Amino acid sequence: MESSALVQALAELIGEDQVSSDPAVLRECSRDYIGFRQYERGDGKFWEPKAACVAWPRNSVEVSSLLAFLNANGADAAPRTGGSCVSLGSEPVEGGVIVDGSRMNELIELNEKDLFVTASCGVSLEYLENYLNNRGWTTGHFPQSLPMAQIGGLVATRSIGQFSTLYGGIEDMVLGLEAVLPDGRIIKIKNVPRRSAGPDLRQIFIGSEGAIGFITQVSLKIFRYAPENRWMGAFGIDTMHKGLDALREIMSAGWHPAVLRLHDPVEMERDFGNIAPEGNCILLVIAEGPKALAAATGEGVKEILKGFGAADLGARPVQRWLIHRNDVCGRLDHFDYYKMGAVADTCEISATWSKIGEIYDAVLERLPQESESLVVVSGHSSHSYTTGTNIYFSFGAMVDKAENARPIYMNIVRVIMEETLKRGGSIAHHHGSGKYRTQWMPQEHGSSYILLEKIKEALDPNRIMNKGVLLKIEE
Amino acid sequence: MEIYVCFKALPDFEQVFPDDWNQFTLGTDLDYAGRILGSFDESALEIGLRLKDKLLFSGEAARCTALTLSRRLPAFISRSLFAAGFDEVVQLDADVEFNPEETARLLSDFLKSAPPGMVLAGLQAGFADSGAVPALIACRLGLPFFSCVESIEPLDGMAEIKRSVDSEYRIVKARPPFVAAVGNSPVSTLRAATLRHQLSCGNKKPKALPADSAPPISALHFQARDERRETTMLPAESSADAAIMILKALGGFS
């Protein structure tokens, strides 16, 4: 379908005010914060695909009619909400339609008896969290994108928050949801505490990255909000391996601090003012919940860390982290790295305890050899489980011209992906596959990759939804 | 040509807790905030390295020394200076805060004993610093002084100095030695060295020299600005409605 006809048809469908093909608006709604795109924009280059238009449906019925129309006409749809994506996950397909749920921002219900809140996809997480906090509740979900992200995108990308060791990832928080399938059918998964009535259908949509439908409404669990009960402590620990062993010990002992972060010596020096003994890692702990439980958790963790020879650094490094942990959101597109002539970003992977340290070592050993212009590589573990943890790599490399930002960047990512896959880890811990990791998805899922293909085939047979995420595009 | 660049590793004030600002004294422990280079100093350091590069390229001898007065120079800052191209990092072992005369005395005592050359420094180390040190160093050394410098180019044994003064550029030519205070230069960041180059610098350490400083001064008071933010959902039906609500809230509509 020709672009102008498409725009016209969508305007007739949901209203002229709800559709725009203004190039500046399209650019704004196509923005992704992956490191090389930030570099390119710093250099005045806008190389993201250009959509025909952006459409802002106001409710599920409008999403339904939009998708049904696009499906019938074979037009590509790129769903988005808050726009904090860092993995090319919400960049449109050339000539496609950006379906932006950010105007669906109704907070539908706070159910304090059954302990859940229901919100439309475009509700800002920061707003929701403030709203709940003022009433003594919390979602327990604090991703770094909190000032930008909206509910639909958080669920679609299988997001995780900084307090995940206590509250879990978004997959543990979603009670029920509503979504629109590409053919326009609106489906609803009801709110129940648990059930044994077949597979958990919520999980088809959690992490679906807009590839099989558009999430329009979500019910999230809520928890008591009692920050005054927090127990906080920071510790210096000799090596990353010893730190990982300590995390394993804490998790296997059954403690569930909300925050458990182990930063390597590079990050300790750069991000924490070199406060631990030279060459040490820094481990941050926050325990929360009822006062007695938070205190017992904190003291229990401290006791374990003593056994690892950890140096007690007090609570101040944690307090500092707590205040400044999301500052990066305010610096996006300030082109700080571009001005230094560098492309920089993070890349998160996960693996079991027996493999995670090996992956960390292998990446740190290989990257300086295979990336000539690399200036820094570091890592931290920020989300731990009884079976393993994640490593959040940070990297920066010098770039001579914008054309080279992407290849230099992807060469670094390639090393991280290869070393992770080699050891059976997962290539994406919480940013989703997006479009930049899709090439590794067949190896990520192995023999189960076909399930992704079959789900796509069943729910989006015309393959209009967010082409390029999760599944490789067939030539 | 000897090039000296004076710099200061400052606490990262953006990381300081509001409570610490409100009861700030020289003894307040700000270690948790970490240390960074002041922005003018960072420009001066990079301009010094660019001068060295250009002199070496034209076949002249050039050597760059980074000079600081601090007991708290983080290892990652000295490592990054060596990796960026400084031949030497000199750390005068004293902590002098909010005392420009004393700072200038100690720095110029070192410079008097070193081979003469160009002395660069940031116009002001941190936002609460006086900005007087570079001029005081020039006075103590009896050297010409140029302030508000944006760039310095080598020019047949001389230097072409571009200054930004009273909204206009002034270009002067001077023969070293002199002292230059770097201001709002477009050269705003110190170059990042590749990891390979950082590794090739091995284990170079700053040259620590004793410095006898006067007792610190006290009686300083700061206050943090309240920068809390609140999120509010505008109950608007359209962007236009939202714009009107914002304008009204800002007092733009009566």
Side-chain angles (χ1 to χ4, degrees), chain A residues 326-347:
Chain A
N326 301 329
D327 284 359
V328 66
C329 286
R331 299 293 305 167
L332 292 172
D333 270 2
H334 280 223
F335 309 127
D336 295 337
Y337 296 116
Y338 168 75
K339 287 173 196 164
M340 294 167 66
V343 63
D345 212 335
T346 57
C347 183

Side-chain angles (χ1 to χ4, degrees), chain B residues 189-201:
Chain B
T189 49
L190 178 66
R191 63 191 65 182
T194 65
L195 211 50
R196 285 184 189 182
H197 191 68
Q198 291 171 43
L199 292 171
S200 75
C201 287

Side-chain angles (χ1 to χ4, degrees), chain A residues 59-72:
Chain A
N59 52 51
S60 306
V61 174
E62 286 189 354
V63 175
S64 166
S65 49
L66 253 179
L67 292 189
F69 177 85
L70 297 176
N71 193 41

Side-chain angles (χ1 to χ4, degrees), chain A residues 34-40 337-338 340-345 373-376 395-400 404-410 412:
Chain A
I34 197 166
F36 62 81
R37 283 285 191 244
Q38 291 200 62
Y39 186 97
E40 290 164 6
Y337 296 116
Y338 168 75
M340 294 167 66
V343 63
D345 212 335
S373 65
L374 189 76
V375 290
V376 68
F395 57 85
M398 300 307 284
V399 170
D400 51 352
N404 288 338
R406 187 172 186 151
I408 287 171
Y409 181 102
M410 289 307 292
I412 293 169

Side-chain angles (χ1 to χ4, degrees), chain A residues 103 105 126-127 130 147 269 273 275 278 316 319-320 323-324 339-340 368-369 372-375 377 398, chain B residues 14-15 17 20 29 31-34 74-76 79 189 192-196 198 229-233 239:
Chain A
R103 289 188 186 172
N105 54 13
E126 188 173 53
Y127 168 76
N130 287 348
E269 208 174 45
I275 198 160
E278 195 166 344
R316 298 190 120 200
Q319 289 164 343
R320 176 191 155 177
I323 293 169
H324 294 285
K339 287 173 196 164
M340 294 167 66
Q369 294 167 27
E372 201 176 324
S373 65
L374 189 76
V375 290
V377 57
M398 300 307 284
Chain B
E14 286 189 15
Q15 306 288 326
F17 301 148
D20 281 346
D29 174 18
D31 281 352
Y32 66 88
F76 77 93
R79 275 204 308 271
T189 49
T194 65
L195 211 50
R196 285 184 189 182
Q198 291 171 43
R229 48 185 275 176
E230 284 280 336
T231 310
T232 304
M233 192 76 86
S239 309

Side-chain angles (χ1 to χ4, degrees), chain A residues 34-37 40 86-88 343-347 366-367 370-371 373-374 395 397 399 402-418 427 433-440:
Chain A
I34 197 166
F36 62 81
R37 283 285 191 244
E40 290 164 6
V86 291
S87 60
L88 303 183
V343 63
D345 212 335
T346 57
C347 183
R366 253 185 89 183
L367 273 183
E370 296 188 32
S371 175
S373 65
L374 189 76
F395 57 85
V399 170
E403 287 83 346
N404 288 338
R406 187 172 186 151
I408 287 171
Y409 181 102
M410 289 307 292
N411 184 43
I412 293 169
V413 170
R414 176 184 59 80
V415 170
I416 299 172
M417 300 291 99
E418 285 175 1
I427 58 168
S433 144
K435 295 187 177 91
Y436 87 118
R437 285 196 265 217
T438 313
Q439 58 183 299
W440 292 285

Side-chain angles (χ1 to χ4, degrees), chain A residues 166-295:
Chain A
L166 178 62
Y167 298 104
I170 198 93
E171 68 276 16
D172 304 303
M173 299 169 171
V174 173
L175 192 63
L177 58 81
E178 179 193 83
V180 180
L181 299 181
D183 62 7
R185 273 179 293 181
I186 301 173
I187 60 108
K188 202 152 181 135
I189 300 173
K190 67 184 176 186
N191 298 330
V192 285
R194 189 185 186 271
R195 56 177 152 171
S196 170
D200 189 342
L201 298 177
R202 292 170 298 186
Q203 301 299 336
I204 296 178
F205 291 93
I206 300 172
S208 61
E209 301 189 37
I212 55 166
F214 192 101
I215 297 165
T216 45
Q217 207 178 92
V218 179
S219 295
L220 293 171
K221 297 172 190 171
I222 56 170
F223 306 88
R224 296 264 180 217
Y225 181 61
E228 67 279 6
N229 292 345
R230 279 179 188 153
W231 185 100
M232 296 191 261
F235 301 87
I237 200 157
D238 290 3
T239 66
M240 200 61 178
H241 279 263
K242 203 190 256 192
L244 290 169
D245 287 345
L247 297 184
R248 182 186 163 279
E249 192 59 34
I250 292 163
M251 296 308 296
S252 66
W255 295 115
H256 289 284
V259 174
L260 200 52
R261 300 174 70 89
L262 173 70
H263 293 260
D264 74 3
V266 174
E267 296 188 2
M268 188 281 289
E269 208 174 45
R270 184 189 64 205
D271 304 333
F272 293 93
N274 212 13
I275 198 160
E278 195 166 344
N280 266 214
C281 302
I282 189 167
L283 204 158
L284 310 183
V285 184
I286 299 179
E288 67 176 33
K291 199 175 179 72
L293 180 62

